[in-house]
Amino acid sequence: VKLRKLVVQCARINTIMRMMIGHHHNVVFVVVVYTILCVLSFHHDGGGAVVFADNKQSSSPPPHILFVLADDYGWGDIGYHNSEIPTPHLDSLAATGIKLENYYVQPVCTPSRASIMTGRYPIRYGLQHGVIQAPQPSGLHLNETTLPSKLKEAGYATHAIGKWHLGFFKWDYTPTYRGFDTHVGYYAGGEDYFSHEASWVYTGFDFRNNTKSLWPARGEYSSQVFETEALRVVSRYEKEDPATRKPLFIYLAMQTCHDPLEVPPQFEEKCDFIQDESRRKFCGMTVNLDLTVQNVTNAFKQAGIWNDTLFIFSTDNGGWPVGASNGQGGASNWPLRGGKFTLW
């Protein structure tokens, strides 16, 4: 309850920031990153009041942060937006949390992820035009300070799980060189969910445990790999000395629901009431995503740290509607117009 009040107070400050900045569609990325830093800057006094203080001098430990980022997930793909896709666990979290219904993102992957990592508009550092292609010698500029690097300075253990898509043509541009202690996932924009092979001009295996290729993951559905890693991070935290362990920042950037539309049969079967094949597969992927969120949040609860956790769920951009991309689009943005690749 105290953490919720804290976030609300930070959000009020952010409202003032929005008024000062002006009504720009993508300002919320700055607001979200600012909210995280705002939470880190507050502590409670003995009477329960919230005061602004130097975090280094605060006796209250900073909250854990779990940031789940879905990929190509549409407005009409979550249950509480009257979607036919069942997402009971995400719905429950939304019902007990704060819904940002005027939340805007960038139109494609790289610009959104760069904004999250920096708290700055991608036009400031040349990543506003589109995504970084796999063979492209480009990345998030090394002059940019990243969110995980600032959280490390604040005493956090920082873990990236899943998609990166901010450059990998040199090691310095990869997650463990940009502020993350660990990374399990892939560098490029999209790939096969089971073989983990990417085919962007060049074809190759793109799945890593830190900087090493994670060959044992070949054949395993990516969402399961990412969930397992998140659970491992929490389990390892439980075993650490309470006097010395660090608060967690887990950036869980899921592959779901980016193309290709691939999902284990048992999840697609839960959506057999949907006739359109691409929409049915997309539904199965979303059901799997919802289950991953449930399992990871349950791990936080079982570890006794959920009440001290700031949880954020977002998509990186709008979804590809049914019928788009040669049948690889299965999302719904209804009743909003546009979707992935559009600015509205």
Side-chain angles (χ1 to χ4, degrees), residues 26 29-30 33 69 71-72 103-133 139-140 163-167 189 200 251 315-317 340-343:
N26 299 311
F29 270 122
V30 180
V33 173
L69 187 67
D71 201 334
D72 293 359
Y103 178 93
Y104 286 84
V105 292
Q106 299 288 329
V108 286
C109 306
T110 294
S112 286
R113 294 160 199 275
S115 297
I116 291 173
M117 287 296 108
T118 65
R120 284 164 32 93
Y121 287 110
I123 197 171
R124 301 291 187 185
Y125 38 83
L127 291 180
Q128 75 276 15
H129 296 296
V131 301
I132 296 175
Q133 302 289 344
L140 177 63
K163 178 175 173 176
W164 179 238
H165 211 185
L166 290 175
W200 290 36
Y251 172 57
T315 179
D316 62 343
N317 46 252
K340 184 174 182 177
F341 299 113
T342 69
L343 286 168

Side-chain angles (χ1 to χ4, degrees), residues 13-47:
I13 296 175
N14 288 336
T15 299
I16 299 173
M17 289 178 60
R18 288 176 65 99
M19 294 173 62
M20 294 173 63
I21 297 173
H23 185 68
H24 296 295
H25 281 182
N26 299 311
V27 72
V28 181
F29 270 122
V30 180
V31 171
V32 168
V33 173
Y34 176 79
T35 298
I36 293 175
L37 297 179
C38 181
V39 170
L40 296 179
S41 301
F42 279 102
H43 76 279
H44 294 277
D45 66 9

Side-chain angles (χ1 to χ4, degrees), residues 2 9 14-15 17 33 41 55 67 72 115 131 147 156 171 179 231 243 281 284 313 321 332:
K2 290 181 179 179
Q9 184 159 342
N14 288 336
T15 299
M17 289 178 60
V33 173
S41 301
N55 191 56
F67 194 132
D72 293 359
S115 297
V131 301
L147 176 61
Y156 275 76
W171 287 120
L231 299 182
K281 288 182 179 296
F313 178 86
S332 171

